[in-house]
Amino acid sequence: MVAAPRCSTTVSVAGSSLYVEGERFEVRGVAYSPLLSFERRFEAPPDLFTPERRAVWHDDLQLLAGLGANTLRLYNWDPALHGGAAGLAFLDSAAAAGLRVMLPISNYFLEHREAARAIVQRIARHPAILLWAVSNEPDAGKPAGSAEAKAAFARVASLTRVVREAEDALGTWHPITVPLTCETRHLAALAAAGAPWGMGGFDGNIDGGTISSHVMQHDAGALWDVDGFNCYWGFSKPDPADFFYARHAASTAAARAASAASPLHAASRARGRAGGGAGGNLSLGTSRPLLLTEWGSDSYDNIAGASSEAAQPLPGTLPRPPMWSHPPPPAPADPPPP
C-alpha cells in the first residue's frame, strides 16, 4: 500500500501552468483503460471503474502511484454504473493513493449532453478530480475547415459549455481539456466553434437544446482551459511537425517568425494570447497549460525494417508470428575497394 495524502479539489490555471492547492502541478501519468480480456481488446473499452471490478484496478492504482505517477486519464465513464454510496469507490481509491483523475466526458455525450451534466453534478466535488477531458479527437478524419469538421467542433463547444454551466451551478471549478490530434491548427477551429456565443450571433438554441444566457456571456476562450494533444507516429515517419521544435526549426527566432505568420497566431492575438502554429512546436502554439493526453508510436516490423500498424498481433495470432521472432538476415557487406 502506498501511503499518500488525499487529493484536493482546489485546482486552478494561471498562464501556461496548472496549479493544485496553489502549487504548480506537473502531470506525470498514463492513459488508463483496462479491458475485459486480451481476446476482447478490440472492443470499445468498457467502464470497469466500478466496485464490482475492484480486482481489475485496485493493484494497478498502487503500482502506478509507486512508480511516481500522479495522474490518470480515464475513458468511457458511464454515469449509470456509479450511483449509490459505493459508486465512486475507484475515485476514492485513486485519491487515497495520491492519484488525480482526468475524467472523460466522451464522444457519446456529444449527443447526450444532459447525461454529461449528471456526471459533473455527481463528481465535481470529489477530491480526485483534476480536470474534465471533453470528447476525444473530434478533428480526426475530418478535412480542416470542412462542414463536417465545423459541425464536430460546434458540438464539442456545446458540450464544454454544459460542463462549465453544471460546475457554475455547483460553485465548483475544474479545468476543461479537449484532446485533439497532434496539430496546433485545430486550436483555431475549436476557438472558432465557440465564437457565436461570445460575439452575439447565437440565438440560444443548438440541436434542439437551450443554452442559458449565463453561458452565452462567456467568450470563445472560456470553452477550454488546458490544451491536450494525442500524439502518435511511426519510426519511419517524420515527427509531427508541431511537436519537436529542434527538428523543424533552425532557431527559436525562426520558429517564432513562422508562428507569427500562421492563421492561428492571428486568431490568438485577437484574444490576447501569444499564438503559435505550423513551423513551431506545441508549446509555441498555445499560452495555456499543455498536456500530452496520449502518446505512442507504431509497432516495428523487423522483417520490413519499418513501422507498421498491421504488424501488431491480431486475434488468434499468439504466439507471435515469425516476423516477431526471427530477425532479418544481415545485409551483404560492401565489396572491398579496388
Side-chain angles (χ1 to χ4, degrees):
M1 183 75 178
V2 177
R6 291 185 63 84
C7 298
S8 168
T9 56
T10 305
V11 184
S12 59
V13 169
S16 60
S17 296
L18 189 64
Y19 291 83
V20 174
E21 289 290 325
E23 298 291 331
R24 189 173 182 274
F25 185 79
E26 181 176 291
V27 172
R28 302 186 308 276
V30 297
Y32 181 62
S33 185
L35 301 176
L36 288 168
S37 67
F38 180 81
E39 290 72 19
R40 299 174 65 179
R41 67 194 182 282
F42 290 103
E43 297 179 13
D47 180 346
L48 298 185
F49 309 114
T50 60
E52 295 77 13
R53 299 287 185 174
R54 181 181 178 87
V56 174
W57 48 258
H58 181 265
D59 288 350
D60 287 350
L61 296 183
Q62 308 308 315
L63 291 169
L64 289 167
L67 289 171
N70 60 18
T71 305
L72 302 177
R73 180 190 173 187
L74 306 186
Y75 297 79
N76 294 343
W77 185 274
D78 182 349
L81 301 179
H82 296 281
L88 303 184
F90 176 88
L91 296 180
D92 294 341
S93 295
L99 293 166
R100 294 176 174 83
V101 171
M102 298 172 56
L103 200 97
I105 309 291
S106 67
N107 291 342
Y108 170 84
F109 297 101
L110 293 170
E111 305 296 341
H112 302 86
R113 291 190 297 277
E114 287 308 306
R117 190 187 303 274
I119 291 178
V120 177
Q121 292 169 340
R122 166 77 163 140
I123 292 174
R125 291 193 174 96
H126 197 282
I129 299 302
L130 179 67
L131 54 82
W132 310 105
V134 175
S135 78
N136 187 60
E137 298 188 6
D139 52 303
K142 302 175 181 66
S146 66
E148 183 185 14
K150 290 177 181 178
F153 279 120
R155 291 189 300 159
V156 171
S158 174
L159 185 56
T160 61
R161 292 187 181 281
V162 166
V163 172
R164 184 54 45 83
E165 184 183 38
E167 281 223 83
D168 285 348
L170 293 171
T172 61
W173 188 91
H174 291 87
I176 294 172
T177 189
V178 177
L180 302 170
T181 57
C182 200
E183 297 178 78
T184 55
R185 64 184 175 86
H186 298 305
L187 296 176
L190 185 57
W197 289 276
M199 297 172 64
F202 183 60
D203 64 6
N205 294 289
I206 183 167
D207 296 340
T210 299
I211 305 298
S212 72
S213 59
H214 170 71
V215 175
M216 288 174 65
Q217 291 169 2
H218 289 303
D219 62 18
L223 292 173
W224 79 103
D225 312 285
V226 174
D227 288 330
F229 294 96
N230 298 344
C231 294
Y232 295 88
W233 67 95
F235 292 104
S236 62
K237 302 173 186 175
D239 300 329
D242 285 337
F243 193 79
F244 283 113
Y245 152 74
R247 300 192 184 186
H248 293 279
S251 66
T252 301
R256 293 192 180 278
S259 295
S262 73
L264 177 59
H265 180 85
S268 302
R269 184 176 53 198
R271 294 178 14 241
R273 292 180 51 220
N281 63 12
L282 296 181
S283 63
L284 292 177
T286 175
S287 61
R288 296 182 178 88
L290 173 64
L291 284 179
L292 290 182
T293 42
E294 293 180 12
W295 165 270
S297 60
D298 293 339
S299 295
Y300 192 77
D301 180 341
N302 66 348
I303 297 296
S307 60
S308 172
E309 290 187 17
Q312 301 178 60
L314 300 175
T317 63
L318 294 180
R320 291 169 175 168
M323 67 188 308
W324 288 94
S325 56
H326 299 287
D334 293 332

